[in-house]
């Protein structure tokens, strides 16, 4: 499992290539965002044991309002009609994604769900190519392949582990008496 996680992390490094340019504020913030997303997923998984999925989704939208408001005070400008279209779209897609992820985490183990997060990588590449005519570097495909192999291995491993655990009979307790 640790080797597969290491391979996946190596794939991330191949995609990001942190050695190719100095660490900028934007890259640092993206790394902090990735770490925060991972931590939030762990917290959400814990919360699904005690709270309903929609309650978790509601709080995930309510709690960031104050820090986002504070940060935006210095740079805020009201969006035009096109901007509102995009802001609304982002909000709706985020809501759909958050509802789906919280529901999935409430009914399955996180190690079974998280490999499917890799699908987002493919969507981001496809959207970048189709909508923004971006060129995709070979390093992106190579790193993506490492991440995909790692994710597939972890998903198969966890599925086999869960099947094995389900097949092992519970230990019989000695009879009192």
């Amino acid at each position: 499992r640790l080797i597969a996680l290491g391979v996946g992390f190596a794939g991330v490094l191949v995609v990001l290539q942190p050695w190719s340019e100095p660490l900028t504020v934007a890259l640092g913030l993206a790394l902090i965002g990735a770490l925060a997303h991972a931590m939030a997923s762990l917290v959400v998984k814990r919360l699904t044991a005690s709270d309903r999925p929609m309650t978790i989704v509601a709080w995930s939208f309510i709690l960031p309002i104050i820090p986002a408001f504070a940060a935006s005070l210095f740079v805020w400008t009201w969006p035009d009609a096109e901007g509102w279209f995009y802001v609304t779209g982002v909000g709706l897609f985020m809501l759909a994604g958050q509802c789906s992820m919280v529901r999935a985490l409430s009914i399955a183990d996180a190690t079974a769900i998280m490999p499917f997060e890799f699908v987002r990588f493919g969507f981001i590449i496809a959207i970048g190519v189709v909508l923004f005519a971006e060129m995709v570097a070979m390093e992106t495909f190579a790193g993506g392949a490492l991440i995909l192999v790692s994710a597939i291995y972890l998903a198969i491993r966890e599925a086999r582990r869960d099947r094995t655990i389900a097949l092992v009979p519970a230990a019989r307790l000695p009879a009192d008496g």
Side-chain angles (χ1 to χ4, degrees):
R1 183 184 221 181
L2 288 175
I3 291 171
L5 290 172
V7 168
F9 185 70
V12 171
L13 291 177
V14 169
V15 170
L16 292 178
Q17 297 185 18
W19 53 84
S20 67
E21 60 184 79
L23 183 65
T24 62
V25 172
L27 288 175
L29 290 173
L31 290 173
I32 290 169
L35 178 63
H37 181 75
M39 298 306 292
S41 294
L42 294 173
V43 170
V44 166
K45 179 60 184 169
R46 288 278 182 194
L47 286 174
T48 60
S50 60
D51 292 310
R52 293 184 5 235
M54 290 312 294
T55 302
I56 297 167
V57 170
W59 280 111
S60 72
F61 276 87
I62 293 168
L63 289 177
I65 289 174
I66 293 172
F69 176 74
S72 69
L73 283 176
F74 304 103
V75 295
W76 180 260
T77 58
W78 286 99
D80 58 8
E82 182 182 6
W84 277 114
F85 172 77
Y86 289 120
V87 167
T88 303
V90 167
L92 291 174
F93 283 118
M94 291 285 293
L95 178 61
Q98 187 71 5
C99 287
S100 300
M101 183 57 72
V102 171
R103 181 70 179 126
L105 288 169
S106 72
I107 59 177
D109 191 65
T111 54
I113 300 299
M114 287 303 137
F116 291 97
E117 281 276 291
F118 178 76
V119 172
R120 184 178 357 175
F121 183 75
F123 283 139
I124 291 169
I125 290 174
I127 291 169
V129 169
V130 172
L131 294 182
F132 302 108
E134 291 183 359
M135 298 298 297
V136 182
M138 287 309 296
E139 293 86 356
T140 302
F141 288 114
L146 288 172
I147 297 167
L148 180 61
V149 166
S150 172
I152 290 171
Y153 172 79
L154 285 171
I156 291 169
R157 180 186 180 281
E158 295 303 319
R160 284 184 183 156
R161 182 189 64 112
D162 290 347
R163 224 178 6 254
T164 302
I165 290 171
L167 294 175
V168 174
R172 294 184 186 252
L173 297 174
D176 289 335

